[in-house]
């Protein structure tokens, strides 16, 4: 197995803006694209991208529009369809078959965008996201965005918000969060466009409609890894997904909640590699 995998910072065109990405491995190898959840950044998938690169793939982690170092939507469009169009633009830019991996909002975008290009997508793997999700489970995500509106006085306070609202474990060392934050007016804010957290973008009816249409349309192999303790995706949600997408495969990540890829994506990578070997072999 190769040793250390180098990281290359690249830019990829999205739909009317530029997406920031980190690339790992041989650019000529089959690409595996990773998309994070709302409020996260491309760093959440670093471990998985390095792991697939070690296995011989080209791992690319993206900042979603309005997040991290990616462009902010000039028209303020942060509906799911816009994220899906960005995924389509990525596929067109790569110009060859790829695998799409996404958590939460990134998974939704992968399903919507990827479902429109069966010729360019060999596998869609989703971390705890489905066409039908429980709105009550979205409430804590809404609360996290609300708590983040006015910024934080310290990294410790930001870490406490992650723990309280998203179930992330309290970090023994919060210094790593500095990379995900920006300073403004003496307070710390997450690296995202505040407009992404506006109420009209957090689980509106159009989101469910887009996901149901994508689930009906997709012909690519789809794998759902459901978090056992998910507040978002229930067993009923899984069954409704199966009804829409007959080829859906479902696995369970034991003893974790919805945002499990935030700190467990190395183990997720092992699952991913098994499916890549079947659907996009080297």
């Amino acid at each position: 197995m190769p040793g250390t995998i180098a990281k290359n910072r690249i830019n990829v065109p999205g739909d009317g803006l530029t997406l920031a990405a980190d690339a790992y491995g041989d650019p000529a190898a089959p690409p595996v694209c990773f998309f994070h959840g709302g409020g996260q950044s491309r760093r959440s998938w670093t471990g998985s991208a390095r792991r697939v690169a070690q296995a011989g793939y080209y791992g690319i982690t993206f900042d979603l529009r309005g997040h991290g170092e990616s462009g902010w939507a000039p028209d303020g469009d942060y509906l799911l369809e816009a994220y899906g169009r960005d995924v389509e633009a990525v596929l067109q830019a790569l110009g060859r078959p790829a695998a799409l991996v996404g958590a939460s909002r990134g998974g939704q975008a992968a399903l919507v965008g990827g479902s429109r290009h069966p010729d360019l997508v060999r596998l869609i793997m989703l971390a705890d996201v489905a066409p039908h999700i429980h709105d009550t489970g979205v409430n804590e995500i809404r609360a996290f965005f609300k708590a983040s509106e006015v910024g934080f006085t310290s990294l410790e306070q930001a870490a406490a918000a992650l723990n309280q609202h998203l179930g992330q474990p309290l970090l023994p060392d919060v210094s790593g969060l500095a990379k995900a934050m920006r300073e403004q007016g003496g307070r710390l804010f997450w690296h995202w466009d505040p407009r992404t957290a506006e109420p009209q973008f957090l689980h509106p009816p159009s989101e469910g409609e887009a996901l149901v249409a994508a689930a009906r349309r997709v012909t690519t192999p789809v794998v759902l890894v459901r978090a056992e303790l998910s507040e978002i995706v229930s067993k009923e949600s899984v069954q409704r997904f199966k009804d829409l997408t007959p080829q859906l495969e479902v696995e369970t990540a034991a003893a974790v909640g919805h945002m499990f890829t935030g700190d467990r994506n190395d183990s997720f990578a092992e699952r991913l590699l098994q499916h890549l070997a079947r659907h996009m072999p080297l």
Side-chain angles (χ1 to χ4, degrees):
M1 179 179 294
T4 303
I5 298 293
K7 175 178 73 175
N8 293 307
R9 167 72 165 79
I10 62 173
N11 290 321
V12 180
D15 181 52
L17 46 73
T18 299
L19 300 177
D22 288 333
Y24 303 83
D26 181 359
V32 182
C33 302
F34 296 88
F35 303 94
H36 62 79
Q40 294 183 318
S41 75
R42 67 186 189 274
R43 295 189 305 117
S44 67
W45 281 116
T46 296
S48 286
R50 287 190 186 277
R51 182 67 188 89
V52 299
Q54 288 174 336
Y57 294 91
Y58 185 44
I60 316 170
T61 64
F62 291 87
D63 280 336
L64 297 180
R65 63 168 48 212
H67 291 70
E69 296 179 90
S70 285
W72 291 13
D75 57 359
D77 187 358
Y78 291 106
L79 289 171
L80 176 56
E81 279 286 352
Y83 291 101
R85 292 194 302 271
D86 288 338
V87 172
E88 291 185 80
V90 166
L91 290 169
Q92 296 290 354
L94 289 171
R96 63 189 194 276
L100 305 178
V101 182
S104 195
R105 172 64 84 204
Q108 293 174 324
L111 182 61
V112 170
S115 66
R116 296 187 174 121
H117 298 275
D119 56 323
L120 292 176
V121 182
R122 292 292 178 265
L123 170 70
I124 299 174
M125 193 158 179
L126 309 173
D128 205 52
V129 69
H132 299 94
I133 62 177
H134 287 275
D135 192 64
T136 52
V138 181
N139 286 339
E140 280 300 328
I141 297 175
R142 293 189 177 106
F144 171 68
F145 283 123
K146 185 69 176 178
S148 303
E149 282 182 357
V150 297
F152 304 98
T153 59
S154 66
L155 293 176
E156 287 78 11
Q157 191 180 49
L162 288 170
N163 172 256
Q164 178 182 352
H165 299 296
L166 300 185
Q168 295 287 343
L170 283 172
L171 299 169
D173 179 7
V174 299
S175 61
L177 287 180
K179 296 179 181 178
M181 310 200 80
R182 55 187 171 84
E183 191 275 333
Q184 181 178 328
R187 297 183 70 83
L188 297 172
F189 295 84
W190 300 108
H191 261 309
W192 68 59
D193 183 346
R195 293 176 297 179
T196 65
E198 291 179 357
Q200 67 265 33
F201 300 134
L202 299 178
H203 197 210
S206 64
E207 181 176 294
E209 294 165 5
L211 287 167
V212 168
R216 285 190 175 128
R217 180 172 59 234
V218 67
T219 56
T220 300
V222 181
V223 178
L224 166 64
V225 181
R226 177 182 177 266
E228 184 180 25
L229 306 180
S230 176
E231 315 83 4
I232 299 288
V233 179
S234 67
K235 292 180 180 179
E236 179 189 6
S237 300
V238 172
Q239 185 55 56
R240 295 175 77 179
F241 198 172
K242 286 181 176 179
D243 292 341
L244 293 166
T245 310
Q247 75 273 26
L248 178 71
E249 297 180 53
V250 182
E251 301 179 0
T252 300
V256 293
H258 175 66
M259 301 300 286
F260 70 97
T261 54
D263 62 347
R264 293 175 183 249
N265 70 39
D266 290 341
S267 60
F268 188 94
E270 298 307 317
R271 296 174 182 267
L272 171 60
L273 284 170
Q274 294 174 18
H275 292 285
L276 289 172
R278 292 170 52 203
H279 300 297
M280 198 168 73
L282 295 169

